[in-house]
Amino acid sequence: MIYIEEKPTKKVPGLTSLFITFKYNPRIIDIIKSTNTAIFDKKAVCWEVPTIYLQTLIDQLCVIDDIDLKLLKTNISAQPEVDLKLSEYKTMPFDYQVEGIKYGLSKEKWLLLDGCGLGKSLQLIIIAGELKRLGKISHCLVICGINNLKSNWLKEISKHSNLTATVLGRKVSAKGKVTYGSIKDRVNILKNPIDEFFVISNIETFRNDDIIKAINKGPNKFDLIIIDEIHTIRTVSSAQGSNILKLKDSKYRIGATGTLLLNDPLDCYAPMKWIGIEKSAASTFEYFYYNYGGAFGNTFKGYKNLDVLKEQLGEFSLRRTKDVLPNLPPKTVINEYIEMDDKQAEFYNNLKRGIRDQVDKVKISTANLLSMIIRLRQATSCPSILTTENIESAKVKRAVDLARQLVSGGEKVVIFTGFIATANKVAEMLSDLNPLVCTGETPQSEIDKNRDLFQSNPDYKIFVGTWQKCGTGIDLNAASYEICTESSWTSGQNTQTEDRIHRANNTKPAFIYYLITKDTIDEKVMNIVNNKAAMSSFIIDDSIPPEYEEELRKYILELS
C-alpha cells in the first residue's frame, strides 16, 4: 500500500504538500524522484512532494500498488457571482476589467498582476466599492509601494467613483500647499475614528511599530487592504517587510503590480507570504527554487522547480497583458545608436583607462564594480557629473534635437533620464519651451501639479523626469513620444517607464526612443537587460545577480 496524505507544508514551499510513505520499493522512489522536487525526511521516513504532482503520481504509482489517498478539505466555498452596480461609478470599465472585478469579488486574498496600463486601480476601486455596498467591509487601506502614488490614488478615486478618501496625515494650507504630518500625527489620526472610506498611505510609514498597532487595535476596521506596486516589498527581513506581515487581521487582501517577478523567484516570496498563500520559511523557499553547486554548495547555478511557482501563482492571481485590448494602438521601441564627438570620446576613453589602472590596484568587489559601471554610464550620459570641463553630451544633444523636431510637428514629448544632472541639462537646453521637470529633487506636490499641467494644458509640450521618480504610477499619455537617455537596469522597469505614455485609453500609437552610445558601456547594459535567458532584471537594490556579476567583471578587466 502506498499512503499519500495532504498536510501543511514542511520543507516545500506553498500551503500544503503531499506526504508519501510506503514499503521500500526502488520503482516507487524513482517515480517520486522524477518530479525533481521531492524531499526525503529521514526522521519521518517520508517523501514530501508539491501538490501539483498529485495526478502525475497517482497515474504512475497506481500500476505498482494500491493507493490510500487522504486530502484536506478545502474551506473555500464557491462565491456566488455578484450583480455589479456599475452605474454607481463615474467610469464604465472595459469588459476585461469587469472580469477582473468579478474575479476579485470571488476571492479574499489574491494578486492582481495585470500588465502596466491596463487600469488596475479602477478595478480595485470598484472591488472595494462593491464590497462596501454589500456590507462586507467598512474601510479600505491602500498602501502605496511607491511614495508618489498617494496623490495619484486620491485623484483616481475621485475620477472613477463617489467614494470618500483621505491620504493619512495630508494637510492643505490656505494657499493650497500640501504637507504631510509626522509619524506621530498619523498614529494619532489612526487612533480616532476616520470618516473617509479609503485611507491611503505610503509603504515607508509602515516601518513604524506604532502605526501597525494603531491599525490593528484602533477604532477603524480595515477589512480590505490593498498594496499597490507590491513588488517593492522584496524582503520580509526588513522593518518595512516584517511589519507589513503583521497586517493580518483584514479578511480581504489584494496585492497589485504589473511586474511581480523583477529579479528572481525570491521576489515573489514576500507578496505571497502577505496574502497567505506561502507558509514556508524564506530559506526553504530559496533553496527550493535556487540551484546551488560548486565545491561548497554555495555557487549559484540557476533556477529550478519554476513550474511549481507558476502553478501556485496561477491559483491565486489574475494576469492579463495588453493583448486584451484589441483596439489599443501599438507601441514601437526604437534603439537609436549615437556617436560621441571627439572630445567626449576622449574623456570616456581616459575614464576607461583610469578604471583599468584602478583594477590593477584594488580588488573588484561588488561595490567597486558598481561604482565603475556607474561612472562609465555617467560619462556617456552627462560628463559634467564627473568633470568641470565643458564637454557636450551626445545623448543630451540628440534628446534635445529630437524633442524640438517632435514639438515643432505638434507633438508632446516625455524625456526620461537615469541621472538628475542629465535631466537638468536637458531642461536647461529646452528652457525656451518651458519644460516641466520632475526628479528626485522635486517636491511631490510639484510633481502632481506638473503631471496635471502636462496632461491637460496644451501650452506645456515637454515633460523631463528621472525614471526612478516618475517611471511608475503616473499617466503621461498626453504624449505619444518618449525619449530615454538611459535604459533602466531592469526590463521590468523599462516596461513601466514605457507605459507611462502607452495606456489603455490611448488613441494614438506610442513611440519609445532609447539613446545608446556606440562602443560604450551602454551596449553592454542593453545586451544584458535584453538577454532572453534572463528572467528579468539586471540589478535590484544595488546588488548584481551572480550570473551577471562575472560578465561585468570580465568587461571591466577588458577595458584596456
Side-chain angles (χ1 to χ4, degrees), residues 124-125 128 139-145 149-150 153-154 157 165-168 197-203 206 222 224-228 254:
L124 295 170
I125 289 165
H139 280 292
C140 174
L141 175 64
V142 179
I143 302 173
C144 299
L149 292 181
K150 299 195 302 293
W153 262 93
L154 202 60
I157 292 167
T166 182
V167 175
L168 190 62
F197 171 62
F198 282 103
V199 177
I200 306 163
S201 188
N202 60 309
I203 200 164
F206 295 84
F222 295 103
L224 167 61
I225 298 180
I226 295 170
I227 301 183
D228 193 15
I254 308 174

Side-chain angles (χ1 to χ4, degrees), residues 482-554:
E482 180 179 301
I483 303 168
C484 299
T485 61
E486 285 83 41
S487 161
S488 161
W489 289 114
T490 76
S491 59
Q493 179 61 61
N494 283 343
T495 300
Q496 286 269 18
T497 303
E498 294 162 12
D499 286 348
R500 296 313 94 214
I501 73 165
H502 192 233
R503 314 297 290 171
N505 56 348
N506 274 29
T507 58
K508 297 193 298 183
F511 296 90
I512 317 293
Y513 286 84
Y514 283 100
L515 304 185
I516 304 167
T517 311
K518 287 181 64 177
D519 303 321
T520 71
I521 186 66
D522 286 355
E523 293 179 312
K524 173 60 67 174
V525 170
M526 288 301 290
N527 287 339
I528 291 177
V529 171
N530 294 329
N531 183 352
K532 293 181 180 179
M535 291 187 62
S536 184
S537 72
F538 167 37
I539 290 184
I540 295 294
D541 284 342
D542 291 337
S543 63
I544 303 177
E547 68 270 36
Y548 298 127
E549 184 168 341
E550 195 55 40
E551 187 173 347
L552 283 174
R553 205 179 295 274
K554 181 180 178 182

Side-chain angles (χ1 to χ4, degrees), residues 111 113 230-231 257-263 267-268 271-272 313:
L111 298 170
L113 305 180
I230 196 170
H231 65 272
T257 178
T259 50
L260 179 66
L261 202 153
L262 276 173
N263 186 40
D267 290 340
C268 302
M272 292 167 65
L313 279 173

